[in-house]
Every structure is written in structure tokens, then in C-alpha cells.
Amino acid sequence: MSAIWLLKTEPDTFSIDDLRACPDGTSGWDGVRNYQARNRLRDEMCKGDTVLIYHSSCPQPAIVGEACVVSDPYPDPSQFDADSAGFDSRSSHDNPRWYQVDIRYVCSYAQPLLLKKLRQDEEFTHMELVLHPRLSVQKVAEREFQRIQQLCQPEDTSP
DNA sequence: GCCAACGTTGGC
DNA sequence: GCCAACGTTGGC
């Protein structure tokens, strides 16, 4: 039983179009530096899980498309790189602190689900995005996912 | 282990 | 750019 996740990103830094443009549409999801998010990513994410991409800190915050998890969790290499913004001197290869997974682009939504709209829909009243908006690795319920797909209609499923 | 200070996030 | 919410740090 695969899970559904929502990952937040600032489109100025790394957008869903940037993911799409990566070789094979695949990129490491690095830079998670929050323990609750880390724990979920490291302990609960599995290859094959579904990912919703959310754009934050931008003019139109929204769920903009889908990706899928294509690796098991592994240590985020940027924590060991002194020249990287993600460097953490407390991490060691024996005892890594931060983890990531690789994700692959699946689709962009024809109609992104704007945060504004999402807040207006009763189906999402108890969604983590509404209750715990700062958490960067969020769980999405199957019902919520179905409603999102209903509202957004992936571009690549036209008959 | 408490808690004040401080830093970050992110919608608006 | 403001500010509320909230996570992290570090002195005690």
C-alpha cells in the first residue's frame, strides 16, 4: 500500500518545471532540514509512493502537479559538503543527520489547486497543509488525493 | 528540562 | 515588507 505525500518547494528555487527538465525528470529532493520532516522522509517514505508538488512563497501558492518516489531514502550528500548551503558540521558519514529521496516528474495539473481554493473546500478542512502549513513533508489522505485530482485534471490524461 | 531569545517560514 | 506561527538554540 503506497502512501501519498505533499512536498513543498519555492518555485524560484526549484519548481515543478525544473524537476520536469531534469534528466529522466528525476532529481534528489535535498535540503530537508527539519526533524519532523526528516523522520517521515527517512522512516516512512518508500519507492513507489506518490508525491504532490506544492509551490510556496510565491504569488499563487498551489498544488501544481505530481511526482513519484523512485529511490529509497538515503543520506543527503549536501550535509557533508562544506561549500553547500545544506552543510551541517554535526553530520558524519557514520551518523548522517539529514536524508533525501529521488523523485521523478509525473504530470503538471492543467488547473493547479490554489491554496485559496483548497481552503474553501470542506474536503480539506483537516488536511495537514491547512493545519500544519509549515511542515515540509506532509501526508495526504486517499480521499484528499482523489478530490485534488478531481479538481485539477492532470494534463496528460485527456482521451 | 525550562524558557527566553532568536531564526525561519510563508501567506498576505 | 510585515508579521504571526512555530522550530531551534543555549544559558541556567
Side-chain angles (χ1 to χ4, degrees):
Chain A
M1 178 61 190
S2 76
I4 305 155
W5 304 94
L6 181 146
L7 297 176
K8 295 193 301 180
T9 184
E10 299 187 16
D12 285 353
T13 305
F14 191 79
S15 71
I16 193 166
D17 289 333
D18 293 328
L19 175 63
R20 185 181 205 165
C22 287
D24 206 22
T26 301
S27 173
W29 198 260
D30 62 0
V32 172
R33 293 294 183 273
N34 167 281
Y35 291 106
Q36 199 180 350
R38 186 279 311 265
N39 291 347
R40 288 181 164 187
L41 199 154
R42 182 191 61 189
D43 304 336
E44 298 183 50
M45 268 198 182
C46 297
K47 204 186 285 188
D49 284 356
T50 295
V51 169
L52 296 174
I53 303 294
Y54 177 83
H55 282 175
S56 68
S57 291
C58 58
Q60 304 237 281
I63 299 172
V64 295
E66 294 173 23
C68 64
V69 178
V70 293
S71 78
D72 292 323
Y74 61 96
D76 177 345
S78 70
Q79 70 192 304
F80 307 121
D81 177 2
D83 295 328
S84 164
F87 178 67
D88 191 331
S89 60
R90 302 165 299 186
S91 292
S92 66
H93 285 85
D94 286 346
N95 191 13
R97 186 167 295 232
W98 307 113
Y99 283 74
Q100 69 181 62
V101 291
D102 293 339
I103 66 169
R104 180 186 299 144
Y105 174 87
V106 171
C107 69
S108 297
Y109 289 144
Q111 280 189 285
L113 179 53
L114 303 182
L115 179 62
K116 193 177 147 194
K117 292 287 179 193
L118 183 142
R119 287 184 185 281
Q120 290 168 1
D121 192 311
E122 291 222 338
E123 189 64 56
F124 305 119
T125 306
H126 303 292
M127 195 173 176
E128 289 201 333
L129 191 59
V130 174
L131 298 178
H132 305 288
R134 289 182 43 164
L135 185 57
S136 61
V137 178
Q138 304 193 358
K139 296 181 181 184
V140 179
E142 181 65 34
R143 276 181 65 98
E144 293 164 348
F145 182 49
Q146 285 172 14
R147 180 73 177 136
I148 290 162
Q149 289 191 313
Q150 194 177 31
L151 293 169
C152 296
Q153 299 183 9
E155 275 176 353
D156 57 356
T157 56
S158 52

